[in-house]
Amino acid sequence: MRILVLDVPKEGVVFEDYLPYLLDETKHAWSLLKSDVIREIYFRQDRPGVVVIVEAESIEKAKEACSQFPLAKAGLIDFTYIPFGNYTLWENLFDEQHKI
């Protein structure tokens, strides 16, 4: 299952609160990338934070992996989990009723 994971900063937390954890945060992300749990990771462009594409058997498994991020363990962030799948309507392009 593919899951879009968005970080959610806890209220009142400022960037300086993250600083002691950022190296370990990066190390944890790297370990998840190497183990094929994280498939893609990006910086958000609308605010500080990340967008992560996770591959896991379930949302619960994704939550287990993400709960081990140092920022999450320190109570500085939480996550939103959105499961998604392949777009399956491509067949409409080839359906005879839609031909011009």
Side-chain angles (χ1 to χ4, degrees):
M1 169 184 286
R2 281 173 249 152
I3 303 158
L4 176 68
V5 179
L6 305 172
D7 68 321
V8 179
K10 296 287 181 125
E11 193 168 324
V13 173
V14 295
F15 181 74
E16 289 74 22
D17 297 329
Y18 297 156
L19 292 176
Y21 304 97
L22 291 183
L23 179 58
D24 288 336
E25 188 83 356
T26 304
K27 288 178 181 179
H28 185 65
W30 177 243
S31 71
L32 292 178
L33 188 71
K34 289 190 311 181
S35 65
D36 289 331
V37 173
I38 290 180
R39 295 300 182 136
E40 301 175 54
I41 186 167
Y42 302 96
F43 282 119
R44 292 183 64 150
Q45 299 299 298
D46 60 333
R47 66 162 178 82
V50 293
V51 174
V52 183
I53 306 296
V54 169
E55 186 84 28
E57 293 175 15
S58 64
I59 290 179
E60 291 73 28
K61 292 287 186 184
K63 287 180 178 181
E64 285 176 27
C66 291
S67 72
Q68 297 307 303
F69 275 104
L71 291 174
K73 288 171 82 171
L76 298 173
I77 62 171
D78 203 351
F79 298 98
T80 297
Y81 300 87
I82 305 168
F84 68 96
N86 291 332
Y87 182 77
T88 58
L89 297 178
W90 296 116
E91 291 83 14
N92 288 333
L93 293 171
F94 308 104
D95 190 329
E96 287 298 320
Q97 70 180 356
H98 299 296
K99 295 225 179 200
I100 299 176

